[in-house]
Amino acid sequence: MALSCPIGFDTKQLRDEVSEMYSRVASDPSSDFHFHRGPAYAAEWLGYGSARLAALPERSTACFAGIANPLAVAPLRPGERVLDVGCGAGMDLLLAAQDVGPTGLAIGVDMTPAMLECVAASAKEMAELSIELKEGDAEELPVGDESVDVVISNGVISLTTDKTRAFSEIARVLVPGGRLMLGDIVVKDELSEDIRNDVDLWAA
């Protein structure tokens, strides 16, 4: 994937398009999108446990639009502090909160208010979980230095306009020896300038 947008690229337009698209997912996940969504897709294609997904609020599983299963990288441990970068409707976040238990903490960061409203409603429904939600994005994470043990992210870094900055932010917030559990999209070859200047392709 390209590490940053071309000079002159309208990064605000890209952020607005991404936010608008995922606002639509939050409001109507069954609508027509170019990417897969939902718990059946997560279980059958990505290896999530269907029984665990069935126990989560439907609003969060229906809006799931990840591209991998970062929680399969390694087990989370009770008491750990986990940051979900681009938490969306919160499916990964809720599962992480279950894994770290009441002595841990799962922090969800997303730039789309509609998605944060969705996960907030789910978190309220699962009040026994330890969850914090913050509006923000991967390039300027609203958490302190060396404040989390694990960062998870699912299909979000590819949407950022400056991936070097995004990874620097992840390194900043992780404690020494912390872990990154990442699922995302990469391309084998360098993209042409025309493709890199296409906002619709970036937002996809």
Side-chain angles (χ1 to χ4, degrees):
M1 59 183 150
L3 292 178
S4 61
C5 296
I7 294 174
F9 187 88
D10 190 341
T11 57
K12 182 181 184 303
Q13 182 185 355
L14 172 60
R15 289 169 57 85
D16 290 345
E17 286 203 15
V18 170
S19 185
E20 190 275 334
M21 176 165 48
Y22 287 98
S23 292
R24 289 195 291 116
V25 174
S27 63
D28 187 10
S30 63
S31 187
D32 185 29
F33 296 94
H34 64 273
F35 46 83
H36 298 287
R37 298 163 313 289
Y41 154 66
E44 295 168 15
W45 288 47
L46 305 178
Y48 287 86
S50 56
R52 288 197 74 187
L53 298 186
L56 299 180
E58 184 180 356
R59 70 175 65 82
S60 284
T61 58
C63 295
F64 173 76
I67 52 85
N69 182 355
L71 298 176
V73 173
L76 297 173
R77 296 186 283 266
E80 288 191 308
R81 296 159 296 171
V82 181
L83 172 64
D84 187 351
V85 178
C87 66
M91 192 180 89
D92 285 331
L93 182 72
L94 296 173
L95 293 173
Q98 289 180 330
D99 290 341
V100 300
T103 61
L105 176 65
I107 305 167
V109 172
D110 204 274
M111 70 175 191
T112 304
M115 282 294 188
L116 286 174
E117 290 176 10
C118 183
V119 67
S122 293
K124 186 175 181 180
E125 195 171 319
M126 304 182 75
E128 74 280 6
L129 302 180
S130 183
I131 292 174
E132 288 184 6
L133 300 175
K134 299 176 182 288
E135 187 171 349
D137 65 70
E139 295 176 38
E140 194 170 350
L141 293 171
V143 297
D145 296 354
E146 299 184 4
S147 60
V148 297
D149 303 295
V150 184
V151 170
I152 62 174
S153 188
N154 196 343
V156 171
I157 303 300
S158 60
L159 298 174
T160 62
T161 60
D162 187 341
K163 291 159 185 60
T164 299
R165 176 63 185 262
F167 282 113
S168 294
E169 279 291 276
I170 289 170
R172 177 183 66 79
V173 303
L174 279 171
V175 299
R179 313 192 310 279
L180 169 61
M181 292 160 50
L182 175 68
D184 220 307
I185 298 170
V186 297
V187 293
K188 180 180 179 181
D189 300 313
E190 182 69 20
L191 300 174
S192 71
E193 195 72 10
D194 286 344
I195 291 175
R196 293 178 64 204
N197 276 294
D198 190 322
V199 172
D200 290 334
L201 290 177
W202 273 85

